[in-house]
Amino acid sequence: MPSFLRPSDWTLAPYRNFFKNTHMTLKASLSLAVCFLVAGIGYAQQPVANKVDTWGNVPPARDDRFTNPKSKLYAGPNGWYNFGEVRADVSNSAKTTYAYKGSFQLINHAFDAVEPNKLRVLYMDFGSDQPGPGVYQVSSKANPVQKKVHLSFADVSNEKLWEWVSTDNGGTVTVTMVNAFLYIKCRNIKLEPAGLHNTGDLKQPMILGFEGAVAPE
């Protein structure tokens, strides 16, 4: 495991007072706290890069049990899972950008992509711990029957809560499955500012893309 992805390097200690004194929603605060305390990382599948959409440029996994299509554990060309990549841009004058690869796991009934050593997390709620394959409409509220997913992105790295959340008709998220491995992908998702400190230049929408995979339980 690369040293920069070791969960032991992460800590919330300097931010305990911040979490105690802010007015974050219960769901957001619990999700953030659990993510940064327990999120680990295994081999993580990433899609093959191509000329148009060069995502997933990570080294191939060493264990061919996950990269051999004949294997029951096949997890895609690179054999990586419990790992994801986030790319997001805020439509503000400062052109605030987020881009990272990190842990992607089911935590507290939601799929969370955590940036290593940073208090930043992408939160995906499908309304189910096991979303079925298909195309989900980005919405203000998750609904597994109607195939609706709710997304939020939070950044508290500067001891301020900057957060963007999905509203209705914000785009689509595609879920596919191979040998019980879940692959989640989205592009150009529009999130609206909703954080306690989203003021001034940061009170602008975010355009977000994501790709990642989760191993079966």
Side-chain angles (χ1 to χ4, degrees), residues 31-162:
S31 178
L32 282 167
V34 173
C35 284
F36 295 116
L37 286 173
V38 305
I41 187 165
Y43 285 119
Q45 185 270 347
Q46 287 289 301
V48 176
N50 58 51
K51 294 180 180 179
V52 177
D53 206 4
T54 55
W55 289 57
N57 53 339
V58 295
R62 294 183 294 273
D63 192 334
D64 68 358
R65 289 178 302 169
F66 299 109
T67 57
N68 184 345
K70 296 181 180 180
S71 169
K72 292 181 179 180
L73 297 177
Y74 177 67
N78 288 337
W80 289 77
Y81 61 83
N82 289 354
F83 188 85
E85 180 174 358
V86 172
R87 298 182 187 180
D89 297 293
V90 181
S91 304
N92 59 354
S93 58
K95 300 186 183 301
T96 304
T97 298
Y98 296 95
Y100 65 86
K101 301 173 186 177
S103 169
F104 182 53
Q105 298 187 46
L106 178 65
I107 301 173
N108 195 29
H109 304 294
F111 294 88
D112 300 319
V114 181
E115 182 173 7
N117 303 313
K118 298 284 187 179
L119 295 176
R120 295 166 179 163
V121 59
L122 169 64
Y123 169 97
M124 292 187 178
D125 180 8
F126 289 89
S128 169
D129 290 357
Q130 298 179 328
V135 177
Y136 290 73
Q137 295 294 322
V138 172
S139 178
S140 59
K141 186 177 181 179
N143 187 315
V145 176
Q146 298 178 356
K147 287 193 176 298
K148 292 184 177 181
V149 57
H150 178 69
L151 280 71
S152 69
F153 180 86
D155 176 4
V156 293
S157 60
N158 293 308
E159 299 191 23
K160 293 183 178 180
L161 174 59
W162 297 337

Side-chain angles (χ1 to χ4, degrees), residues 197-209:
H197 298 104
N198 282 83
T199 58
D201 200 38
L202 288 169
K203 200 171 184 178
Q204 298 294 331
M206 168 184 282
I207 303 299
L208 178 139

